[in-house]
Amino acid sequence: MSHDHSSEHPFDAFNILIKQMPEPSAQAVAAVRARDAQLTKPPGALGRLEEIVEHLAAWQDKEMPTVERPTVVVFAGNHGVTKQGVSPFPASVTEQMLKNFSAGGAAVNQICATWGAGLKVFELALQIPTKDFTEAPALETRECAGTVAFGMESIAGGADLLAFGEMGIGNTTSAAAIYHALYGGKASDWVGRGTGLDDEGLKRKAAVVERAVALHKPHLTTPWEVLRRLGGREIAAMAGGILAARMERIPVLLDGYVACAAAAVLHAIDASALDHCLAGHLSPEGAHAEVLRRFGKKPLLNLGMRLGEGSGAAMAIGVVKAAVACHRDMATFASAGVDNKA
Amino acid sequence: MSHDHSSEHPFDAFNILIKQMPEPSAQAVAAVRARDAQLTKPPGALGRLEEIVEHLAAWQDKEMPTVERPTVVVFAGNHGVTKQGVSPFPASVTEQMLKNFSAGGAAVNQICATWGAGLKVFELALQIPTKDFTEAPALETRECAGTVAFGMESIAGGADLLAFGEMGIGNTTSAAAIYHALYGGKASDWVGRGTGLDDEGLKRKAAVVERAVALHKPHLTTPWEVLRRLGGREIAAMAGGILAARMERIPVLLDGYVACAAAAVLHAIDASALDHCLAGHLSPEGAHAEVLRRFGKKPLLNLGMRLGEGSGAAMAIGVVKAAVACHRDMATFASAGVDNKA
C-alpha cells in the first residue's frame, strides 16, 4: 500500500505560497539609490557592490539594508543511488562530515567564522537513504513534502541573509538528474565529476542519470515530481528554505551545483521564485554555468570551489558584508566636504 | 639648471634590488600541499583558495601562512595633466578625498574595517602637481626615484599581506600613457572612462595620451623613464611598495587599472618581479584585463569596481582571510574520523 495519495496534493500548500510571494520594495531601492548618489565616489564605481545593496534593500524592505545575522543552513541526506558507484567516497562520509560540521572542522565552519556568520546544520534521516532512483522514486510524496516543510522551518531565528548548503554523498548525481529532467538535452550535458570521479566513473554516472530520467519521464508532470523522484532530502529541504526566505523577505545567496538543483525546482514552478536570490559562486562542477544562465544570474564569485556545504555562497557573505558597510558608513560629498563633478 | 644628473643613475639602486629578489619557498609550498591532502574535503575542492594559501606560504616562507596584519597602503598625488580636461572631477578632489580617508569616510575605509585590515594613507606633495606630461616629463629623475624610495619605506610596520592603492584626479590618464608606452598599440586601446568621462572626454583623453607618448618616445629608454615621464607620484610610490614587499617576502594583492601601471613598470624591468603578487580584482576600466593577461595573472574577484583607493585589492583580503582560515583550522580526515576515498 502506498503512502502517496495524490488526491491530498501535499505540494499544494507550497504552490499557494508561491502565488503569494512578496515583491521587491521599489521604495527601499529608491532610498538606496538616492543615498548612493551622495556617497564620496563616482557613480557606479563600486560596481556589483551597489547592485548587492539594492538587492538587499529590495528584499529586506529596508532603506538601510543589514547583514547583521547572515546564516548558512546546511542539510545532510543520504542517497540510495550511491550503490550505482557514482561517488569515489563511501556513503558513510555523509554522517561523518555532519559530525565534522558540528565539531567545527569543515571548510564552511571556517568561512562562516571568518565573517561572523551563523551556521546551522540539519541531519535528514541519514539512516534511511532515499531509494535508488534508477529503480524507484527517491522519496514518497509525503516524505518529500514533509522535508520541504522542514526546510521552511529551518530559517527561523532572525537571519537577515541566508545561504543554503548540503552534504550528501551521491547528491551531484541527483542534481544532474533534476537538471536533465527539467532542461532536457543529454544526461552527459549535466553530469560532473562530483567529489572526484575519473573518466570511467563519469561515464557510469551519466548512464545512471540517463537511465533514471528515462524510467521516471512519464511521471514527471510537475517540478515537484522531479524533486520527489530524482531529488534527495537535502535538496527538498533547500527548496523549502529558499521559498521560506522569500516569504519572510530574507535575501538568499545561492550556492553551487547541488544547491541550485533545489533552486531550479522552484524556478521551474515560477520563473520569479528566485528573484530574492543572488548567485554566490560559480562552481566548476558540471553545468552550473548553464544553470545560472537559465536563472538569469551572474555569480558574485568564481573561485573554482566545488565542495558543497554551502561554502561558495558562504564566501559571498563577505562580499555582501563589505558592500553594506560601504553603503552604510561612507561619507557623503557634503559631510566630507568633497567636490562633486566639475 | 636641471636637478637631473643622469650620471648618478638614481634608479640603479632599485635595479640592484630587482636582481636580488627572493624566490618562493618550495619547502613551505610542499608543507601546505601535504596538509591540504589531509583536510576533510576532496582534493582541489577549495579551488583558488588552495592556490592562495600556497602563494602565501611560498612568499612568506611559512609552512602555516598568516593574514594577521593585512594592510592597505594608499598614496595620493596630483597631476599636471588634469589641465587638459581629462577628468570630470576637479584636481581639488584629490586632497579632499585624502581628508576623507583620514576621517574614515571612503569606501576603502569600510572595506578594511570589514576584514580588520589596516589602512595607511600617504600624501605625496599634493601642492606640487606633476608637470603636464603633454609638455614635459611628469617628474624629475630624483623626484621620481625619491618617491619610489618613499613607497619602499611605506611598508614598514609588520604587515603580512599588502595591497597598494591610489587617489589622484587624472591618474587613469597617466596609467594609460604608461601602458601605451610599454605595450604599444594605439592610445585608444589603453584609455578608459576613469571617474566617468563621456564619449567626447574619452576621445580627448586618448588624444592626450597619444600626444604625450609621441613627445617622450625618443627618451623612453627604460621602464623607469616611462614611469618618470608619464607617471605620477602615487604610481612611483606603489612601484616602490610592490618591490619592497618582494624584498621583505610579503605577498601583495594587486589593485586595478592605475595600481597595475606601477606593477607594469616593475614587470617590464623583470618579468618575475610580480611573482609575489596575486591579482585582487579585475577592473572594468580600460584595458585592465589585457594588462593582467600580460602579467599572466587571473583576478580573484570581478565585481565591476572601478574606484581606485586600493578598494578592489582590499576586497580580496577577505577571500585570502577565508582561504587561510580553511587551511589553518579545518579538521583532517584522521582527526575528524572521516573516511577518505573508497
Side-chain angles (χ1 to χ4, degrees), chain A residues 32 48-58 65 320 323-325 327:
Chain A
V32 161
R48 298 199 70 190
L49 304 196
E50 299 175 17
E51 170 197 333
I52 289 167
V53 174
E54 289 186 15
H55 182 91
L56 261 65
V320 176
V324 169
H327 185 74

Side-chain angles (χ1 to χ4, degrees), chain B residues 117-340:
Chain B
L119 175 63
K120 298 202 283 185
V121 182
F122 294 100
E123 173 178 340
L124 298 171
L126 293 186
Q127 303 316 316
I128 314 165
T130 56
K131 292 204 178 71
D132 176 356
F133 58 59
T134 65
E135 297 170 354
L139 292 164
E140 298 295 320
T141 299
R142 289 191 182 187
E143 218 177 358
C144 183
T147 309
V148 173
F150 182 89
M152 292 192 69
E153 296 301 319
S154 75
I155 72 162
D160 53 8
L161 176 67
L162 282 164
F164 297 96
E166 42 59 44
M167 175 70 216
I169 297 298
N171 68 12
T172 60
T173 305
S174 183
I178 289 173
Y179 294 134
H180 183 35
L182 291 176
Y183 300 143
K186 289 176 298 188
S188 58
D189 296 340
W190 303 103
V191 166
R193 291 183 191 274
T195 51
L197 278 181
D198 57 17
D199 288 351
E200 195 191 330
L202 191 64
K203 272 189 207 165
R204 189 167 56 239
K205 189 168 168 181
V208 163
V209 168
E210 188 173 3
R211 203 160 76 239
V213 173
L215 172 71
H216 295 287
K217 193 139 200 153
H219 310 288
L220 299 176
T221 50
T222 70
W224 295 119
E225 278 300 290
V226 172
L227 175 67
R228 177 176 87 82
R229 289 173 170 267
L230 302 167
R233 290 192 179 82
E234 73 279 44
I235 298 175
M238 288 189 290
I242 294 168
L243 174 57
R246 173 64 164 268
M247 302 314 293
E248 300 290 331
R249 306 197 70 105
I250 305 168
V252 168
L253 290 167
L254 295 176
D255 194 45
Y257 180 80
V258 178
C260 281
V265 170
L266 297 175
H267 186 254
I269 296 166
D270 185 324
S272 73
L274 304 180
D275 285 0
H276 63 307
C277 303
L278 294 168
H281 179 269
L282 176 66
S283 172
E285 172 74 11
H288 191 225
E290 171 62 15
V291 172
L292 291 184
R293 196 191 62 73
R294 285 170 184 263
F295 292 173
K297 297 196 187 289
K298 189 177 159 192
L300 291 172
L301 297 173
N302 178 7
L303 293 166
M305 297 168 67
R306 48 178 184 78
L307 179 61
E309 306 181 0
S311 57
M315 283 296 296
I317 291 173
V319 176
V320 175
K321 284 193 75 163
V324 169
C326 286
H327 185 75
R328 184 187 60 220
D329 297 333
M330 277 179 73
T332 62
F333 285 108
S335 73
V338 173
D339 295 336
N340 207 329

Side-chain angles (χ1 to χ4, degrees), chain A residues 202-235:
Chain A
L202 191 65
K203 272 189 206 165
R204 189 167 55 239
K205 189 170 168 181
V208 163
V209 168
E210 188 173 3
R211 205 160 75 238
V213 173
L215 172 72
H216 295 286
K217 192 137 202 157
H219 311 289
L220 299 177
T221 49
T222 70
W224 294 119
E225 278 300 288
V226 172
L227 175 66
R228 175 176 89 81
R229 288 173 172 267
L230 302 168
R233 289 191 180 82
E234 73 278 44
I235 297 176

